[in-house]
C-alpha cells in the first residue's frame, strides 16, 4: 500500500474526526511533510479532507470517492483480503471483470468504477452511469458448477442488494423478475450476470455479476425519467455499499437455495400480478401464481394453461413496466 | 436420532447432488427423497435436421442471441472458421447471459436458429464441417 493509501486508511477509520499530522507521521513512520504531501494528493483526487494547523486532518462525513481502504474497512473479516480493482472510468465494469477473470483474477474480486461510459444492461441496452453518484460494480465469482446452478446467481444478487438497501437506506426494495430492483415502482438497480463456461467440461467456471445501483443520481435522461430513481442516500459512502453488497452476496452463496428463494419471493413484486409475456414467440397475457424453487415464474395464461417462465421479457400490465 | 440431527441431515443432503438417501440403525430407519429442480426440458427436440458433419447444440433452454448486442457484429456467420473454445452465441436464461463456445474447430455452414428465438435443450444451433 502506498503512503497515500495508508493515510487514507487511517482517515477512513476515523471519518469525521481529526487525526493529527504528528500522529499520522508517527504511526506510518514518515515525516510530517510526507504526510502533508500525500494528503494534498488525496485532496486532488477528490477526497474531502479538511486540514487544520491545530487539529490535523479530517476526512469529511460526505466525502465519497471510491477507494481500496474505504471499501476494505467495511468488508467482513472473512472477505478482508478480496482483490479490489478501482477505475475512474470504465466502459463497463462487467467487460473489465471478464478480462480480469481471463487473466486469472481470484474468486470474489471486486471491480468498481466511478463512472461507466458504456454501462450495459441486457442485450445491449445501456445502464445510465454518471460519475460519482451511483455504484457500478462487478464481482468475479469462480464457481465450477452446472449451468442450472449458475442461473441462481441473479437471484442471490437481487436478494443481497435488497438486504443492503434495507440496511443502509432503510427502504423496502422490491424485485421485478428476474433482475430489476424497484422502490415505489421505480427502478433503482439493475443486475447483469454473465457466465463463462469451460467448453471441455460444459461447466460454468466463472460468473460475472454486474450491479448498477443509483445512490445519489438526481437527474436522469428523458427516456428513463419516469421509470428510474435513486436511493437518495448521501451520508453513506459508496465504498460501504460496495463492501456490504459483496459481503452479502458471498454470505448468501453459503445459504441453502430454498431459504434464498423464499426471501426472493417475499421481496418480489410479481405475485398475483397481471403480466404480458412471450411464450414460444407469441405474446400472451396471464397472471403470476408463484415463483418456484428454481426461480421460474409460474404463470396462468388466459385459457388456464400454466407455464413456467425461465427466460424472456415480462411486462407488468396496466400500470406499465416498472410501476407497482 | 434427535430431531435436530435429522434436520441437519436433511440440510446436508439438500446441499449435495444426492436425490435419495436411506439409513438404518437399531429401531430406526430414515429415507429421504429429493425432487431435483429439473430446469432442462427432458426431451431433446427431435427435428428433421439434415445430417451435418458437425453440430453445436444448445446446452440449455433459453433465448438465442447471435451477437453481443442488437445490431452488433454477429459472433459467427456462415463461412466463419471457428476455433475450439471460441464464443459462437449467447443463450439467456434467468437473465444470465451464457456465452456458448464451440467444442471443436469447424467452419460454420449454417446458423440454424434466428436471433432472439427460444431454443430447447439439445437443439442444434449451428451446422458446421
Amino acid at each position: 500500500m502506498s503512503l497515500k493509501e495508508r493515510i487514507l486508511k487511517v482517515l477512513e477509520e476515523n471519518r469525521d474526526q481529526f487525526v493529527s499530522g504528528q500522529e499520522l507521521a508517527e504511526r506510518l513512520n514518515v515525516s510530517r511533510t510526507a504526510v502533508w504531501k500525500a494528503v494534498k494528493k488525496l485532496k486532488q483526487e477528490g477526497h474531502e479532507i479538511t486540514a487544520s494547523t491545530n487539529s490535523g486532518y479530517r476526512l469529511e462525513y460526505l466525502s465519497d470517492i471510491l477507494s481500496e481502504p474505504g471499501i476494505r474497512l467495511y468488508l467482513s473479516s472473512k472477505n478482508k483480503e478480496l482483490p479490489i480493482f478501482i477505475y475512474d472510468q470504465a466502459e463497463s465494469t462487467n467487460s473489465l471483470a471478464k478480462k480480469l477473470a481471463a487473466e486469472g483474477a481470484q474468486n470474489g474480486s471486486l471491480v468498481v468504477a466511478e463512472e461507466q461510459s458504456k454501462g450495459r444492461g441486457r442485450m445491449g441496452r445501456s445502464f445510465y452511469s454518471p460519475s460519482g453518484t451511483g455504484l457500478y460494480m462487478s464481482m468475479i465469482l469462480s464457481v465450477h458448477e452446472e449451468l442450472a446452478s449458475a442461473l441462481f446467481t441473479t437471484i442471490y444478487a437481487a436478494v443481497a442488494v435488497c438486504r443492503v438497501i434495507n440496511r443502509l437506506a432503510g427502504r423496502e426494495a422490491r424485485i421485478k423478475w428476474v433482475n430489476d430492483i424497484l422502490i415505489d415502482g421505480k427502478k433503482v438497480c439493475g443486475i447483469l450476470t454473465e457466465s463463462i463456461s469451460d467448453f471441455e467440461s460444459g461447466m460454468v467456471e466463472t460468473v460475472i455479476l454486474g450491479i448498477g445501483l443509483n445512490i445519489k443520481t438526481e437527474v436522469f435522461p428523458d427516456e428513463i425519467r419516469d421509470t428510474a430513481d435513486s436511493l437518495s442516500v448521501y451520508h453513506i459512502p459508496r465504498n460501504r455499499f460496495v463492501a456490504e453488497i459483496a459481503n452479502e452476496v458471498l454470505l448468501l452463496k453459503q445459504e441453502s437455495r430454498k431459504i434464498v428463494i423464499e426471501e426472493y419471493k417475499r421481496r418480489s413484486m410479481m405475485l398475483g400480478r397481471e403480466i404480458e409475456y412471450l411464450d414460444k414467440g407469441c405474446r400472451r397475457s396471464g397472471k403470476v401464481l408463484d415463483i418456484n424453487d428454481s426461480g421460474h415464474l409460474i404463470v396462468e395464461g388466459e385459457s388456464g394453461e400454466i407455464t413456467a417462465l425461465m427466460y424472456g421479457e415480462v411486462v407488468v400490465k396496466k400500470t406499465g413496466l416498472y410501476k407497482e | 436420532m434427535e430431531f435436530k440431527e435429522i434436520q441437519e441431515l436433511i440440510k446436508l443432503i439438500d446441499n449435495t447432488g444426492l436425490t435419495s438417501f436411506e439409513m438404518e440403525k437399531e429401531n430406526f430407519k430414515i429415507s429421504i427423497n429429493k425432487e431435483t429442480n429439473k430446469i432442462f426440458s427432458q426431451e431433446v427436440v427431435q427435428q428433421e435436421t439434415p445430417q451435418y458433419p458437425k453440430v453445436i447444440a444448445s446446452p440449455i433452454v433459453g433465448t438465442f442471441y447471435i451477437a453481443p448486442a442488437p445490431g452488433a457484429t454477429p459472433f459467427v456467420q456462415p463461412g466463419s472458421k471457428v476455433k475450439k473454445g471460441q464464443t459462437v452465441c449467447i443463450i439467456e436464461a434467468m437473465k444470465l447471459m451464457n456465452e456458448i463456445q464451440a467444442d471443436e474447430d469447424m467452419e460454420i455452414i449454417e446458423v440454424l436458429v434466428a436471433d432472439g428465438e427460444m431454443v430447447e435443450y439439445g437443439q442444434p444451433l449451428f451446422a458446421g464441417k
Side-chain angles (χ1 to χ4, degrees):
Chain A
M1 227 191 293
S2 66
L3 175 62
K4 202 178 67 185
E5 282 181 312
R6 281 153 66 207
I7 289 174
L8 185 58
K9 181 168 182 281
V10 178
L11 294 178
E12 277 283 5
E13 287 161 358
N14 296 280
R15 204 175 247 265
D16 207 27
Q17 291 166 46
F18 275 108
V19 182
S20 78
Q22 185 65 39
E23 189 192 332
L24 278 169
E26 276 169 18
R27 269 177 76 170
L28 304 173
N29 208 10
V30 293
S31 70
R32 288 182 63 168
T33 320
V35 170
W36 178 81
K37 275 186 185 160
V39 169
K40 197 172 151 198
K41 262 192 225 150
L42 286 168
K43 286 171 81 167
Q44 278 164 1
E45 287 171 13
H47 297 275
E48 292 173 40
I49 298 170
T50 304
S52 141
T53 354
N54 296 326
S55 323
Y57 303 101
R58 180 177 68 195
L59 180 62
E60 292 301 327
Y61 183 56
L62 294 177
S63 185
D64 190 19
I65 301 289
L66 293 171
S67 75
E68 191 179 324
I71 293 171
R72 245 177 243 299
L73 181 64
Y74 296 101
L75 285 174
S76 63
S77 52
K78 228 170 128 185
N79 302 329
K80 272 289 185 241
E81 304 300 322
L82 292 183
I84 299 173
F85 302 88
I86 299 177
Y87 299 87
D88 282 339
Q89 201 198 49
E91 284 203 347
S92 119
T93 55
N94 261 32
S95 307
L96 275 173
K98 252 190 196 167
K99 207 183 292 166
L100 290 164
E103 289 162 7
Q106 79 179 68
N107 181 37
S109 293
L110 297 171
V111 184
V112 291
E114 289 283 356
E115 177 181 359
Q116 292 188 115
S117 56
K118 290 185 184 161
R120 288 187 293 137
R122 290 181 47 251
M123 291 328 294
R125 281 179 218 160
S126 64
F127 186 87
Y128 179 60
S129 316
S131 179
T133 65
L135 176 148
Y136 319 114
M137 72 184 276
S138 297
M139 270 183 101
I140 298 172
L141 301 169
S142 315
V143 288
H144 192 74
E145 62 189 358
E146 302 273 349
L147 208 42
S149 173
L151 296 185
F152 278 87
T153 314
T154 317
I155 288 185
Y156 280 85
V159 171
V161 171
C162 284
R163 283 187 181 182
V164 172
I165 289 176
N166 186 253
R167 190 185 312 139
L168 297 185
R171 312 278 300 266
E172 268 311 321
R174 310 293 301 280
I175 304 165
K176 177 183 171 285
W177 188 81
V178 178
N179 59 342
D180 286 337
I181 294 176
L182 288 71
I183 290 180
D184 294 333
K186 290 187 170 186
K187 175 168 165 175
V188 295
C189 173
I191 297 170
L192 177 70
T193 38
E194 299 178 76
S195 76
I196 302 164
S197 303
D198 175 56
F199 56 91
E200 305 271 12
S201 64
M203 301 287 267
V204 174
E205 295 301 328
T206 310
V207 175
I208 307 290
L209 169 59
I211 296 172
L213 173 63
N214 304 324
I215 295 182
K216 322 190 274 197
T217 315
E218 284 174 353
V219 184
F220 290 93
D222 284 349
E223 59 276 19
I224 55 169
R225 183 167 297 155
D226 296 330
T227 52
D229 204 354
S230 75
L231 299 179
S232 303
V233 164
Y234 297 85
H235 62 289
I236 294 172
R238 286 169 301 141
N239 286 324
R240 183 164 178 191
F241 275 95
V242 173
E244 297 218 8
I245 288 173
N247 286 337
E248 210 65 51
V249 168
L250 295 172
L251 189 76
L252 278 166
K253 287 290 271 179
Q254 309 293 318
E255 275 289 1
S256 90
R257 199 172 283 174
K258 204 158 180 87
I259 288 175
V260 180
I261 285 279
E262 282 302 316
E263 185 168 340
Y264 181 83
K265 262 167 87 167
R266 209 166 58 238
R267 295 186 183 276
S268 170
M269 55 157 293
M270 302 302 290
L271 301 181
R273 293 294 170 130
E274 300 283 338
I275 61 163
E276 274 180 13
Y277 59 101
L278 279 176
D279 184 23
K280 300 183 178 69
C282 301
R283 185 159 283 286
R284 293 180 193 280
S285 295
K287 188 177 172 184
V288 178
L289 299 181
D290 197 6
I291 291 171
N292 71 10
D293 287 351
S294 303
H296 305 164
L297 206 59
I298 308 296
V299 182
E300 181 179 11
E302 279 173 330
S303 44
E305 77 283 3
I306 310 271
T307 318
L309 296 180
M310 60 176 292
Y311 55 87
E313 207 58 49
V314 159
V315 180
V316 177
K317 277 219 296 205
K318 285 180 187 141
T319 45
L321 184 56
Y322 293 122
K323 295 276 164 62
E324 282 256 24
Chain B
M1 206 173 187
E2 299 272 323
F3 176 67
K4 207 166 166 238
E5 287 178 296
I6 297 177
Q7 249 184 334
E8 265 171 28
L9 187 65
I10 291 175
K11 214 186 232 172
L12 204 71
I13 289 165
D14 200 29
N15 285 327
T16 68
L18 288 178
T19 52
S20 72
F21 173 86
E22 269 187 53
M23 187 179 118
E24 211 169 339
K25 70 187 194 185
E26 21 10 296
N27 296 332
F28 183 83
K29 187 178 171 189
I30 182 166
S31 126
I32 298 171
N33 267 296
K34 186 169 85 172
E35 283 234 20
T36 50
N37 294 326
K38 295 204 182 72
I39 70 139
F40 295 137
S41 140
Q42 288 307 302
E43 27 172 319
V44 173
V45 176
Q46 298 291 337
Q47 274 184 334
E48 289 295 315
T49 327
Q51 281 304 306
Y52 293 109
K54 290 175 178 178
V55 155
I56 301 173
S58 178
I60 192 177
V61 178
T63 310
F64 172 88
Y65 294 108
I66 189 68
T73 318
F75 290 110
V76 294
Q77 45 202 351
S80 302
K81 291 197 170 67
V82 300
K83 287 251 172 283
K84 186 174 173 177
Q86 187 179 330
T87 300
V88 290
C89 65
I90 286 175
I91 296 183
E92 182 225 317
M94 299 294 290
K95 306 290 156 97
L96 178 69
M97 303 296 160
N98 302 285
E99 288 189 355
I100 308 300
Q101 286 126 359
D103 50 6
E104 52 184 337
D105 295 355
M106 66 173 80
E107 183 187 329
I108 302 290
I109 305 173
E110 202 182 334
V111 183
L112 304 169
V113 182
D115 187 46
E117 216 167 78
M118 68 145 294
V119 294
E120 293 291 335
Y121 174 65
Q123 181 173 343
L125 306 172
F126 298 96
K129 62 179 181 192

